[in-house]
Amino acid sequence: FSNQFLLIPTFFLILIVSCCALSGTPLSFSLPIVLPATSSAVVFPSFRELWDDPRPVSSLVTDKIAPNEIPYCILSDTLHLPDVAGAFRVLVYPKGRLGRSRGSASAYLSFEPLEKGDEADVLWTLRLVDGQTNTTAPVVDSGGLPRSERSWSSGMTFVHESEAVDTCGRCRDWGSSVWAERDVLPALERGDLRAEGTAHICGARRGDTSFPRGRGALGAAARAIRGGDGRIFRVGEVVVPARAGAVAAGFLRAGVDYRIMTASDGDGRPIFSTADLRPAERARARLALRPCGTARGTGTWPAEVEVSVLAECGARSRLDVRALPGRTMAQIVRDGAGLAFAALIALSPVPAVLLARNFVGVYIIPTASMEPTLHKGDVLLVEKMPGALGRARRGDVVMFRPSRELLNIVGPKAVKPNDLFVKRL
């Protein structure tokens, strides 16, 4: 009788563990990427949509006048995942997110929430597959870990665009330009391209808005700034070491921004946040880091480091004011010449400053349309010397007053008299 009595709770324990493991299983998806039946010019009903578009202005005008046979962006069917209030789509940019014919193609996972406060923590992998030949397009970079030559992996908290804070790992859409145009276009033109992969929902919430609840983007920023010993690290967020890390052949540099692409516990099981672990286990968690932009040093990214190493490096959120000294020093090393020129102008006598105002301008970027080259809030020191247009070369970033053709697209009332556009040539 006693043995039978012990078997009953053991059976239920096994059942509970099995159910937990099943709920944590990544879900596979396969979505067709099909060209629309007709190709037409892109219409921008508002100035904001035009400004937020990451493509160079020349590409926008060209698409309006002479539309390409291959659209700039192709949307998949909607993907519904359990417990998430909203739907996902895969966005494919056959010529890259910037719309240039430089040989790269991009794919992003995009979230369409039902309401403003709906959000989901997602770990995912993505592949682009030619359905006719059943071959997977290679990638030049696997994003997170484990490394792969055929798939890209990452994690992000997907939110409404008004609750997005890139530094805290909160975005509406996220992806990369790691595919080659030559590997994607043939299958796309035949109608055989598919986006396949896995998605693991690590958490989903409703009503997480910044106002009036103090959660959402506002709460995420507050938690990131608090930091301190034993801080929680989340996939997708950007951290800045205060001191160089003597790991991975010195890959970690003080003051450089690193994004957490993926994470795992001490035994290699994927996690979304170190909060998923017991406090005693968090120091052994491993984070796959990748530098944002250009980082000094050599090596293969991502570099995997333990949380304890980041703690020794004094890693903090990019939003934390305590990370500012290190970031400033790193910027001086990287952009010393430009900063020296700015300092020279700032310290010049008043007549020189008044003269410089005619040749140099300072502007603040108000939107995310030029990311990742320029981020919202960046301050630009702009040359206004005579003949600047003649010295401009392809690839340079320029500011200009909109032409008549561009005003006809956005509408004259959408542009104020002193508004300038910023785009790459």
Side-chain angles (χ1 to χ4, degrees), residues 129-215:
V129 180
D130 186 332
Q132 184 182 78
T133 61
N134 199 29
T135 57
T136 303
V139 295
V140 298
D141 187 310
S142 64
L145 293 176
R147 292 188 176 91
S148 171
E149 296 181 351
R150 300 288 173 178
S151 64
W152 189 82
S153 61
S154 185
M156 187 63 61
T157 297
F158 285 95
V159 299
H160 186 273
E161 60 182 2
S162 63
E163 295 290 341
V165 184
D166 174 83
T167 294
C168 298
R170 299 170 57 86
C171 295
R172 180 175 181 178
D173 53 61
W174 189 250
S176 187
S177 302
V178 296
W179 289 270
E181 180 184 344
R182 64 177 181 274
D183 296 323
V184 173
L185 272 183
L188 180 62
E189 292 172 336
R190 293 196 311 268
D192 295 320
L193 186 65
R194 301 187 66 84
E196 299 182 352
T198 60
H200 188 172
I201 304 301
C202 304
R205 295 165 294 281
R206 303 209 65 183
D208 268 13
T209 56
S210 296
F211 303 99
R213 302 194 176 192
R215 297 187 296 198

Side-chain angles (χ1 to χ4, degrees), residues 210-366:
S210 296
F211 303 99
R213 302 194 176 192
R215 297 187 296 198
L218 187 62
R223 289 190 298 271
I225 293 172
R226 280 198 300 268
D229 295 336
R231 82 183 297 277
I232 298 300
F233 292 94
R234 296 170 58 86
V235 171
E237 74 167 318
V238 178
V239 294
V240 184
R243 298 175 295 276
V247 296
F251 282 4
L252 295 186
R253 299 302 178 97
V256 175
D257 300 349
Y258 294 92
R259 188 177 300 278
I260 303 175
M261 301 298 295
T262 54
S264 60
D265 63 13
D267 297 322
R269 291 184 291 265
I271 59 173
F272 191 86
S273 168
T274 54
D276 300 336
L277 306 175
R278 292 192 295 268
E281 300 175 341
R282 291 172 184 171
R284 295 180 56 239
R286 303 185 66 83
L287 310 177
L289 304 181
R290 181 176 298 278
C292 301
T294 302
R296 301 294 182 182
T298 58
T300 302
W301 300 102
E304 188 175 42
V305 299
E306 287 190 354
V307 167
S308 59
V309 173
L310 281 185
E312 294 173 1
C313 294
R316 302 185 183 280
S317 169
R318 186 163 60 181
L319 293 177
D320 195 330
V321 68
R322 291 169 291 184
L324 183 59
R327 297 188 70 210
T328 302
M329 290 303 299
Q331 186 176 7
I332 290 175
V333 172
R334 185 173 62 245
D335 306 317
L339 293 174
F341 176 74
L344 179 63
I345 296 298
L347 298 175
S348 296
V350 174
V353 173
L354 294 176
L355 182 64
R357 290 182 59 187
N358 296 318
F359 302 102
V360 178
V362 178
Y363 300 89
I364 299 176
I365 300 299

Side-chain angles (χ1 to χ4, degrees), residues 21-41:
L22 182 62
S23 64
T25 302
L27 301 175
S28 299
F29 63 86
S30 179
L31 300 170
I33 307 297
V34 181
L35 289 172
T38 58
S39 179
S40 60

Side-chain angles (χ1 to χ4, degrees), residues 61-73:
V61 175
T62 301
D63 271 2
K64 184 67 177 178
I65 298 174
N68 293 319
E69 294 182 2
I70 302 297
Y72 162 63
C73 179

